Amino acid sequence: MRMRAAVLERFGEPLAVQEVELAEPRAGEVLVRLHACGVCHTDLYTASGADPSGYAPTVLGHEGAGVVEAVGPDVGALAPGDHVVTLFSPQCRECVHCLDPRTNLCLAIREEQNKGHLPDGTTRISRDGEEIRSFMGCSTFAEYTVMPEIALAKVSPEAPFEHTCLFACGLSTGLGAAINTAAVKPGSTCAVFGAGMVGLGAVAGCRLQGAERIICVDLSPQRLELARGQGATDLHEGGEGAVERILEMTGGFGADYTFEATGNVAVMRQAVEAARMGWGLCTVAGVAGRGETLDVVPRLLITGRRIAGSSFGGVKGRDQVPALIDRYLAGEIDLDPFVSQRIGLDEVNRGFELMEAQDGIRSVIEFS
Ligand SMILES: NC(=O)c1ccc[n+]([C@@H]2O[C@H](COP(=O)([O-])OP(=O)(O)OC[C@H]3O[C@@H](n4cnc5c(N)ncnc54)[C@H](O)[C@@H]3O)[C@@H](O)[C@H]2O)c1
Ligand SMILES: [Zn+2]
Ligand SMILES: [Zn+2]
């Protein structure tokens, strides 16, 4: 079939919205008609050419929500009409990692996905016979996508697409960092560095876990106000002195749980230093630049602080994304403040500009 898609032709150039060819789903694959898709930093990072593992041409986008249009052979869990959220982090439910509660890093399709292929080593998108690679296994800056069944979460049809798409990446990452990776205990003191989509999700996750005090640190007063709306009790301007202020507020000890959601290694270090002696756990969710390292004084670890990394918030997508969306539907999370712009597919480059200007939290592409 023919469809419209935003193609990254060459790094550093605007995406080109055009008609491309999409092949039928093969065994284990599903054709999804997209209704909404968030524009994320990872899309821009790849478009800029900064990602050393990036490739072109490709159709970007990985925060999709839509409806199953058709299924290929051997698809058991999904049927036409099902509402789904795309998962760049799949869940096969069979590999050694899927069977272990300690990780969500499914091993089933990693290698081919990293190369821009579907699990069988080919792509479904093409243009005049030329293959166009799949981005993060999703390629959701398009009217339709074909994805493996194991990379789609079936979610409640009651939730609006412009909200369910947020769970495809940053929001689940933040929520899961607090709920899964840190497993914040009720009554704790938490400190979240960064109040973008991921940090705001972490603030909400700490609140849902019953944290008593949630300190949020960011450079932007507007974003700190959004953090207050998600449950932050104390707001601090980031930069030098942020650690000292958190220590002062906690009797010199530090927070029980700290979260880093900026991607800046200097802030990661602050998040470690602001964690409590004895048992403080620092969860790193930000993605650092290539070659950057985290500089930590080992004495901080000997005296009981721990550091954990979190990919997609440790969320096992097919099981937990539907459950998180049910909590949103129950009124536990307010998502309206996160959707700052609704744009058409043709305006995808404007979505990038708004993100670079830190104008709003998420631009969401709506497909008519
Ligand atoms: N681990 C994962 O699976 C995963 C998933 C999605 C995104 N990420 C990463 O998480 C990070 C955050 O993503 P986002 O979409 O929320 O980004 P964002 O750019 O919207 O938010 C980052 C926030 O950090 C703040 N910040 C910058 N410097 C700061 C400082 N010195 N002190 C305090 N705050 C500071 C900014 O003002 C901004 O509000 C990025 O590195 C992103 O790549 C990771
Ligand atoms: Zn993303
Ligand atoms: Zn698996």
Side-chain angles (χ1 to χ4, degrees), residues 183-260:
V184 168
K185 290 198 178 118
S188 322
T189 296
C190 301
V192 178
F193 289 80
M197 186 76 264
V198 176
L200 292 167
V203 169
C206 291
R207 171 177 53 78
L208 292 175
Q209 291 291 106
E212 185 176 307
R213 210 163 180 194
I214 305 169
I215 305 160
C216 188
V217 183
D218 199 288
L219 302 174
S220 149
Q222 293 92 330
R223 289 190 165 207
L224 286 174
E225 274 315 310
L226 291 177
R228 190 193 297 285
Q230 296 301 322
T233 55
D234 300 84
L235 310 175
H236 285 316
E237 193 187 326
E240 273 184 43
V243 174
E244 286 68 28
R245 281 200 299 281
I246 292 169
L247 294 180
E248 272 166 31
M249 291 176 66
T250 52
F253 283 115
D256 300 314
Y257 302 93
T258 64
F259 298 88
E260 181 284 327

Side-chain angles (χ1 to χ4, degrees), residues 130-363:
E130 170 205 21
E131 111 173 342
I132 295 183
R133 283 199 263 179
S134 157
F135 176 66
M136 292 173 81
C138 297
S139 284
T140 48
F141 287 169
E143 291 171 314
Y144 294 86
T145 184
V146 170
M147 290 180 62
E149 170 183 37
I150 62 167
L152 292 165
K154 180 178 168 178
V155 304
S156 169
E158 283 165 44
F161 297 108
E162 66 171 23
H163 285 165
T164 55
C165 73
L166 303 175
F167 288 89
C169 180
L171 177 60
S172 294
T173 298
L175 288 167
I179 297 172
N180 297 323
T181 310
V184 168
K185 290 198 178 118
S188 322
T189 296
C190 301
V192 178
F193 289 80
M197 186 76 264
V198 176
L200 292 167
V203 169
C206 291
R207 171 177 53 78
L208 292 175
Q209 291 291 106
E212 185 176 307
R213 210 163 180 194
I214 305 169
I215 305 160
C216 188
V217 183
D218 199 288
L219 302 174
S220 149
Q222 293 92 330
R223 289 190 165 207
L224 286 174
E225 274 315 310
L226 291 177
R228 190 193 297 285
Q230 296 301 322
T233 55
D234 300 84
L235 310 175
H236 285 316
E237 193 187 326
E240 273 184 43
V243 174
E244 286 68 28
R245 281 200 299 281
I246 292 169
L247 294 180
E248 272 166 31
M249 291 176 66
T250 52
F253 283 115
D256 300 314
Y257 302 93
T258 64
F259 298 88
E260 181 284 327
T262 70
N264 178 329
V265 290
V267 180
M268 291 179 192
R269 177 179 176 158
Q270 289 188 316
V272 177
E273 293 174 350
R276 196 191 192 285
M277 168 190 186
W279 59 72
L281 174 62
C282 170
T283 300
V284 174
V287 178
R290 177 154 99 124
E292 290 185 318
T293 57
L294 172 55
D295 188 10
V296 168
V297 179
R299 181 183 47 78
L300 293 173
L301 307 181
I302 300 282
T303 48
R305 294 166 195 82
R306 292 173 300 141
I307 309 173
S310 185
S311 172
F312 194 48
V315 168
K316 289 183 188 277
R318 289 161 80 197
D319 293 341
Q320 284 183 285
V321 164
L324 289 172
I325 288 177
D326 287 346
R327 295 189 78 167
Y328 147 69
L329 284 171
E332 293 188 62
I333 316 164
D334 177 15
L335 299 184
D336 283 324
F338 298 153
V339 182
S340 24
Q341 296 282 338
R342 292 167 185 82
I343 57 178
L345 182 61
D346 290 312
E347 300 168 284
V348 59
N349 294 303
R350 184 168 139 66
F352 282 160
E353 285 163 21
L354 290 165
M355 198 161 55
E356 282 181 296
Q358 281 215 355
D359 185 340
I361 297 297
R362 268 295 180 276
S363 297

Side-chain angles (χ1 to χ4, degrees), residues 24-42:
E24 304 263 298
R26 295 187 188 170
E29 296 174 359
V30 175
L31 172 67
V32 177
R33 178 175 183 175
L34 291 153
H35 285 248
C37 179
V39 180
C40 174
H41 292 277
T42 311

Side-chain angles (χ1 to χ4, degrees), residues 91-95 98 106-108:
Q91 184 189 358
C92 76
R93 295 183 171 142
E94 285 169 7
C95 74
C98 279
C106 176
L107 300 169

Side-chain angles (χ1 to χ4, degrees), residues 52-63:
S53 59
Y55 37 77
T58 184
V59 172
L60 294 179
H62 61 284
E63 297 192 356

